Amino acid sequence: MQRTLRVTSYIAIALVVFFVLMAFLVNLTPLSENTWLRVFFSVSALNFTLRASVPLILGALCGILCERTGIINIGIEGMMLAGAFAAFVAKTSTNHWPLMPSLLFGVAIALLVGGLMGLLHAIFSIRYRMDQIISGTVLIILAGGVSAYLFDRNAVAQGKFGAVAIPGLSQIPVLGEVLFTNPPLTYTALILVVVIHIGLFYTRWGLRSRACGEHPRAADTVGVNVNRFRYMNTVLGGMLAGLAGGFLVLEAVGQFQEGMTAGRGFISLAAMIFGNWMPFGAMGAALLFGYTQALQNELLLAGVTTVPRQFVSMIPYVVTIVAVSGFVGRVRPPAAEGKVYETEGESE
Amino acid sequence: MSLSTLRRIGYMVLIPTLAVFSALLLGAIVMWIFGDDPLAAYRGLWTGAFGSPRAWSTTIRKMTPLILTGLSVAVAFKAGLFNIGASGQFLIGSVCSVAVGVNFEGLPAFVHLPLALLAGVAGGVAWGFIPGVLKVFTGAHEVIVTIMLNYVASLFAAWTVYAGGTQGQTPGPLWDRTAGAISRTPEVFMSARLPWIVPEPYRIHWGVAIALLMALIMWWIIFKTTLGFSTRTVGANSKAARYAGINVRWITILTMMIAGGLAGMAGAIETLGLNHRFAPEFTGGVGFQGITVALLGQTNPIGVVLAAFLLGALEAGAARMQFDSGVAADIIQVIQALVLAFVAAPLIIRQIYRIRKPSDQIEATVVSTGWGR
């Protein structure tokens, strides 16, 4: 276990170094005249990768929070869509406010509604012992239905988050352009990866959360309120998924479309599994998946027609199947996932 | 029939009925909150689903694929598997049946049609085989694999009919050359179409008869054969099944193949009976709805038919409801989600209506727990 982990992180670090080197070479030297190299390593490809990855990172973090405490969450897609719609409604109804407060209000409402979706999932799966996978399915259908039913197709959201260059760092060639000239929610997502990693593995809250997901009986025995942790973390997770939806509306697209999450919730799920339920692993997987989307885009822009774009888009899904099939090291889910926890002697 | 059997059947009918009733009621409250008139909406819904012969035919048409995808999900549930991939299997079934249907001109209908149907079923079987075999030999959870295969299927289907786009990409192998920039297949030959039972304007095709027949066959297999018994044993307790000498691995793979085949058949029937072609906007949405149908039907094939009828009616009435009352048809999706929530958590219904849990233990719909094996 430990060994595979170390090997995986070496590979990841090597990949990162390779990409940074290539990015420098391709974007600063005449190598940029080669179409293929440009497709793979241009600043626009890397920028697109990061942009496409942000909702996946947030979605995967949502999954990690829920599943580490033992609640399976395949409803990320629904939570994200609800967050996106909430952000859109909040933004359109405050169009007359100054831009920044209106956008921040949108973010707040996206967090709130995402959290409520998380609460609903927790109530379904803990209080009413619904199968957690079905509860997730309910959330997806519900969010799709409610957002389509209430969507006012004439409403237009005015304005979205713009890029904020970090002074100094953004002057670094290539890297500055890719990493340090981004809109605020992108920075937030990257910071959250670090925060949640530290939270899960270096704080009391994290230890207790993980105990609830691995061995709830043991956690209960030492006085941890298992279901309270499960409620809390599912709500927190829902907020992150809501933020991912908010990102789509307030930062990436600027508007809402029906079903605009378009499977990102499911890809987040895949990123979480591929990343072995670890925040940094999930971020790596999300970047990889974002990269395949960027490739598809760049190939189209560069006029490369030899590879059908549908097959490029398939890569993340096929990679995920391979990953869960255990060809790439074994991923290991939290042990007590999906099981309702009852304290001894308790019955309905 | 003994009293306890009757009581058990009563309970099995009571929960879904109350679930549907509660979902409609809650849906009405939602409409009322957002300023719509629920009474007008439901009146329109009823007219659109049952108000005229035409309405009835729409209901039957919408019900047909739901029976098959519902059976697909239900069969998997019986073996303790969650087939969330019916929509992918549906799409592959559609594409495979079209591939046969637009080729082989001049074949007599009694060869061409069965061949096209079988191609659809085979496509679905293959698409169900993958998660089955991966689960058995690598422990990959079928929920993840089938979700991912849904996307692969929809991209693959999109590719086969792809028109090529503006920058001269190669068009897909099934693309209709006469369609210009539109991505779609040509229409299948007459010899590969399912004939109408009731022709235009009612457009009821033989697919509905096939679907009902499949429900009967599945009922027989599940409850009257050794295979069905083994499947149910695996679903109830796979460890016990192994000790009893049942080949759990084989049952798992076979069940996923049957589930895939049923969903693939749904795709083939929709294509050969109704649309006569495939285009990317035909989604596998009915595959997703199969989950609601299967649970509403308590994973019993007869129940599945009733549930598919109900959901088909909701779908059929939605357009008329929007037209008559101005309530967005999307409220139907909300109602379906509520139905699913209530049937999946009988505890909610039991608490609201204060129903005592029947004393003799009734097999709960155990679905799956955790990502592990």
Side-chain angles (χ1 to χ4, degrees):
Chain A
M1 179 69 199
Q2 202 61 42
R3 193 138 117 238
T4 32
L5 245 178
R6 203 172 301 147
V7 172
T8 327
S9 26
Y10 284 148
I11 294 174
I13 291 168
L15 263 178
V16 169
V17 170
F18 172 72
F19 261 89
V20 170
L21 272 178
M22 286 308 286
F24 272 116
L25 280 176
V26 170
N27 290 295
L28 300 176
T29 65
L31 274 178
S32 62
E33 275 151 41
N34 181 309
T35 314
W36 280 101
L37 286 177
R38 219 170 47 235
V39 164
F40 283 118
F41 302 107
S42 67
V43 167
S44 84
L46 300 181
N47 261 328
F48 191 104
T49 302
L50 188 58
R51 232 175 8 221
S53 305
V54 170
L56 306 182
I57 292 173
L58 289 170
L61 289 177
C62 158
I64 289 173
L65 278 188
C66 299
E67 304 217 342
R68 281 282 182 177
T69 35
I71 299 286
I72 291 182
N73 185 0
I74 71 160
I76 303 171
E77 177 84 10
M79 297 174 173
M80 219 184 252
L81 189 63
F85 183 65
F88 177 75
V89 172
K91 179 73 194 69
T92 47
S93 51
T94 56
N95 267 337
H96 54 282
W97 293 10
L99 185 60
M100 208 27 91
S102 162
L103 286 170
L104 290 177
F105 180 65
V107 171
I109 297 296
L111 286 170
L112 178 73
V113 170
L116 285 177
M117 291 292 277
L119 183 63
L120 190 63
H121 184 51
I123 292 176
F124 277 161
S125 32
I126 299 168
R127 174 88 181 76
Y128 290 108
R129 291 165 216 175
M130 195 188 287
D131 183 282
Q132 294 170 9
I133 293 179
I134 293 180
S135 170
T137 314
V138 170
L139 292 192
I140 295 167
I141 306 178
L142 196 63
V146 171
S147 63
Y149 171 62
L150 295 178
F151 183 31
D152 174 5
R153 282 153 192 85
N154 299 319
V156 177
Q158 283 153 11
K160 54 178 187 174
F161 281 118
V164 181
I166 294 184
L169 290 174
S170 61
Q171 302 303 315
I172 308 172
V174 185
L175 273 190
E177 246 178 296
V178 175
L179 282 181
F180 301 110
T181 318
N182 285 304
L185 294 186
T186 306
Y187 296 128
T188 313
L190 296 176
I191 294 169
L192 278 172
V193 174
V194 181
V195 169
I196 288 177
H197 180 85
I198 294 174
L200 269 181
F201 296 102
Y202 300 97
T203 69
R204 197 153 63 164
W205 164 79
L207 182 64
R208 292 182 173 179
S209 296
R210 286 181 293 131
C212 295
E214 297 290 349
H215 201 321
R217 179 72 69 207
D220 192 20
T221 310
V222 295
V224 175
N225 187 336
V226 174
N227 283 338
R228 214 189 84 209
F229 264 87
R230 289 185 170 178
Y231 267 109
M232 188 166 72
N233 287 3
T234 312
V235 170
L236 281 176
M239 291 170 76
L240 291 179
L243 185 63
F247 165 86
L248 290 176
V249 166
L250 302 171
E251 190 165 301
V253 182
Q255 300 298 333
F256 179 82
Q257 294 135 20
E258 275 176 52
M260 79 182 299
T261 42
R264 286 185 182 86
F266 287 120
I267 307 180
S268 307
L269 193 70
M272 171 196 77
I273 295 169
F274 196 34
N276 203 6
W277 286 264
M278 308 282 271
F280 280 105
M283 182 180 74
L287 286 169
L288 196 66
F289 294 167
Y291 185 60
T292 60
Q293 285 174 26
L295 271 192
Q296 190 195 339
N297 198 45
E298 294 293 318
L299 282 173
L300 211 63
L301 285 178
V304 175
T305 59
T306 39
V307 193
R309 59 189 182 88
Q310 290 89 354
F311 286 93
V312 181
S313 317
M314 272 180 211
I315 296 172
Y317 310 113
V318 177
V319 164
T320 305
I321 294 176
V322 172
V324 293
S325 302
F327 295 130
V328 191
R330 274 214 171 274
V331 288
R332 201 190 68 82
E337 233 183 1
K339 298 181 184 100
V340 176
Y341 182 70
E342 284 168 11
T343 43
E344 264 169 81
E346 181 192 355
S347 68
E348 47 184 273
Chain B
M1 230 181 266
S2 67
L3 195 65
S4 75
T5 325
L6 273 178
R7 195 179 292 147
R8 224 185 63 207
I9 293 176
Y11 179 79
M12 275 180 80
V13 174
L14 186 63
I15 294 286
T17 313
L18 287 176
V20 171
F21 172 73
S22 316
L24 286 172
L25 196 67
L26 203 53
I29 294 174
V30 170
M31 282 188 257
W32 178 72
I33 289 175
F34 290 101
D36 283 326
D37 178 2
L39 281 179
Y42 285 148
R43 210 177 300 126
L45 193 67
W46 182 265
T47 319
F50 307 115
S52 63
R54 193 80 173 260
W56 272 95
S57 76
T58 315
T59 300
I60 291 172
R61 207 160 51 234
K62 299 272 185 196
M63 166 186 82
T64 307
L66 290 176
I67 294 178
L68 289 168
T69 53
L71 284 175
S72 164
V73 181
V75 167
F77 274 148
K78 285 289 180 208
L81 300 162
F82 190 6
N83 179 24
I84 203 165
S87 54
Q89 295 144 8
F90 176 95
L91 287 176
I92 292 293
S94 306
V95 168
C96 289
S97 65
V98 166
V100 173
V102 298
N103 288 305
F104 310 111
E105 189 174 11
L107 273 185
F110 69 88
V111 182
H112 203 179
L113 175 60
L115 204 63
L117 272 177
L118 270 182
V121 174
V125 167
W127 223 242
F129 173 75
I130 302 173
V133 101
L134 287 180
K135 181 175 181 87
V136 164
F137 290 107
T138 71
H141 198 282
E142 77 278 6
V143 167
I144 298 290
V145 177
T146 49
I147 288 175
M148 296 306 138
L149 283 178
N150 283 344
Y151 285 98
V152 175
S154 98
L155 286 163
F156 177 78
W159 169 71
T160 58
V161 301
Y162 185 44
T166 47
Q167 283 143 331
Q169 287 97 329
T170 340
L174 291 175
W175 172 59
D176 177 5
R177 263 152 237 296
T178 62
I182 303 170
S183 297
R184 66 171 195 208
T185 66
E187 291 207 315
V188 295
F189 289 119
M190 291 305 288
S191 53
R193 292 185 192 179
L194 277 168
W196 302 118
I197 301 180
V198 190
E200 303 274 1
Y202 298 110
R203 304 204 299 149
I204 298 176
H205 54 79
W206 277 97
V208 65
I210 300 178
L212 289 172
L213 184 68
M214 285 317 295
L216 274 181
I217 294 176
M218 290 322 295
W219 179 84
W220 181 76
I221 291 181
I222 291 174
F223 293 110
K224 302 287 164 193
T225 66
T226 320
L227 172 65
F229 178 75
S230 311
T231 309
R232 285 183 290 137
T233 312
V234 170
N237 187 339
S238 70
K239 269 202 193 105
R242 193 156 51 237
Y243 287 126
I246 293 170
N247 189 340
V248 178
R249 295 182 152 195
W250 169 237
I251 292 288
T252 302
I253 297 177
L254 187 66
T255 308
M256 279 313 288
M257 284 164 72
I258 295 175
L262 286 165
M265 187 185 282
I269 281 178
E270 271 301 83
T271 321
L272 302 173
L274 197 63
N275 302 323
H276 299 148
R277 63 155 45 109
F278 183 81
E281 60 267 24
F282 302 153
T283 61
V286 286
F288 225 61
Q289 286 174 313
I291 301 167
T292 313
V293 173
L295 285 174
L296 185 58
Q298 307 277 294
T299 69
N300 177 311
I302 309 300
V304 163
V305 172
L306 296 175
F309 177 70
L310 194 92
L311 253 68
L314 281 180
E315 292 285 319
R320 181 62 183 260
M321 177 191 78
Q322 182 160 3
F323 186 78
D324 279 5
S325 64
V327 178
D330 307 290
I331 191 75
I332 296 302
Q333 209 185 332
V334 179
I335 292 171
Q336 286 184 11
L338 295 173
V339 170
L340 181 59
F342 287 134
V343 285
L347 197 55
I348 304 180
I349 294 292
R350 287 217 307 273
Q351 280 188 356
I352 297 176
Y353 299 97
R354 311 199 177 280
I355 298 167
R356 279 235 315 277
K357 194 176 185 176
S359 49
D360 44 348
Q361 73 279 22
I362 282 169
E363 49 181 293
T365 332
V366 181
V367 186
S368 45
T369 39
W371 297 131
R373 270 193 249 207

